[in-house]
Amino acid sequence: MSTESSRPSPGTGHSASGAARAGSGGVILVVDDEPNIVELARLYLRSEGFKVETARDGREALQKVAALKPNLVVLDLMMPELDGWEVTRRLRQGGDRTPVIMLTAKGDDVDKIVGLELGADDYLAKPFNPRELVARVRAVLRRSQEPDRATRVLEVGNVRVDLGRREMTIGEQQVELRTKEFDLLVAFLENLGLVLDRETLLRIVWGYDYLGDSRTIDVHVTWLRDKLEGATVKIQTIRGIGYKLVPSPDG
């Protein structure tokens, strides 16, 4: 694997302060059937203060999520028993909101979009730089652990968003949103009337460490527009710049 040369030496990344906080970053469940990937992820995540648990397939992953309640799951897409898509689908259908970073050896954008649609929070293509994995783990955890947002409710017109429950209603009708659709709507509501370019939306919704294609914004905006049918707000395209949320005269 091309990342092997970047493995830290025994004297690197293991300072006294780092050792003292070992495990303080939370519990990360790494799910992959390739032992070298698991070991590399474990090495770097532990050196940054995380406790690392592992699973070799999708069924074991579901069992360990239920038993260990990890702070985040690093989940391989292609695995025996159950693949990463099915594991994510079952977690979300069961109401489990544990953040998921999906690993894929494929470069097809469709695989990434399907993973995000099913509820994954981020993805990383193999072979990956383990330092980038650590950065993405930290970014996703930051986004998922914002205590001030947990009790907030945003209301504009007939649209009501409960951040703690992660629920959106239009009038009296509850509307189901995918993970990133919800986060995207929150970004628009918190910046009502302001033009947000794609780079800004990527930073807000996907995090500063997101290195994927900005076209995913356009895909998610299209999905979100469909979900906002009947709302008194709409997402307006500002050609050549980005998008903004505005009152809808037809709402």
Side-chain angles (χ1 to χ4, degrees):
M1 182 170 176
S2 62
T3 55
E4 194 69 26
S5 61
S6 60
R7 180 188 294 263
S9 64
T12 304
H14 294 274
S15 64
S17 60
R21 69 173 190 273
S24 64
V27 178
I28 309 299
L29 177 62
V30 178
V31 187
D32 201 304
D33 60 333
E34 296 183 55
N36 62 320
I37 296 289
V38 172
E39 188 55 36
L40 191 64
R42 188 208 311 264
L43 178 65
Y44 274 80
L45 289 168
R46 288 185 64 182
S47 73
E48 293 296 321
F50 295 100
K51 179 180 179 182
V52 179
E53 300 286 346
T54 64
R56 294 167 295 180
D57 58 54
R59 293 192 187 280
E60 186 181 4
L62 290 172
Q63 293 169 358
K64 288 201 169 182
V65 168
L68 300 173
K69 306 296 183 187
N71 298 92
L72 182 143
V73 179
V74 177
L75 180 65
D76 187 31
L77 173 59
M78 304 302 295
M79 292 185 298
E81 299 291 334
L82 297 175
D83 61 29
W85 286 332
E86 181 63 16
V87 170
T88 303
R89 187 186 68 80
R90 293 192 185 188
L91 288 175
R92 299 305 185 239
Q93 280 193 342
D96 193 306
R97 307 306 306 175
T98 303
V100 172
I101 296 178
M102 192 166 285
L103 301 179
T104 174
K106 299 180 179 180
D108 192 341
D109 285 345
V110 172
D111 293 317
K112 303 168 186 175
I113 291 173
V114 169
L116 294 171
E117 180 179 349
L118 287 172
D121 297 87
D122 201 354
Y123 66 86
L124 189 59
K126 296 179 180 177
F128 58 83
N129 184 325
R131 298 186 190 281
E132 182 182 350
L133 172 63
V134 172
R136 286 181 181 269
V137 166
R138 291 196 180 281
V140 171
L141 286 175
R142 281 196 302 271
R143 297 198 299 270
S144 67
Q145 295 173 347
E146 295 181 315
D148 292 341
R149 294 164 64 94
T151 59
R152 290 178 56 199
V153 173
L154 301 175
E155 293 188 80
V156 177
N158 65 349
V159 175
R160 184 179 190 274
V161 172
D162 187 319
L163 277 72
R165 296 178 180 274
R166 291 187 69 85
E167 294 176 351
M168 188 265 273
T169 55
I170 297 177
E172 299 298 321
Q173 182 68 39
Q174 184 169 327
V175 180
E176 294 294 328
L177 296 180
R178 304 178 180 99
T179 299
K180 294 304 182 186
E181 289 174 350
F182 184 91
D183 294 339
L184 189 60
L185 177 58
V186 171
F188 282 128
L189 288 171
E190 291 181 332
N191 295 275
L192 186 65
L194 300 179
V195 179
L196 300 175
D197 60 33
R198 289 170 179 81
E199 289 70 24
T200 298
L201 288 170
L202 285 173
R203 288 199 303 271
I204 294 173
V205 178
W206 277 264
Y208 285 92
D209 307 301
Y210 180 80
L211 301 175
D213 194 329
S214 64
R215 289 177 299 174
T216 193
I217 291 291
D218 302 325
V219 173
H220 282 77
V221 165
T222 298
W223 290 339
L224 185 55
R225 278 174 168 157
D226 290 340
K227 300 293 180 68
L228 287 173
E229 184 177 353
T232 56
V233 293
K234 67 177 182 179
I235 301 172
Q236 180 178 339
T237 300
I238 307 302
R239 198 170 298 276
I241 302 177
Y243 304 95
K244 67 176 177 178
L245 192 69
V246 297
S248 172
D250 302 323

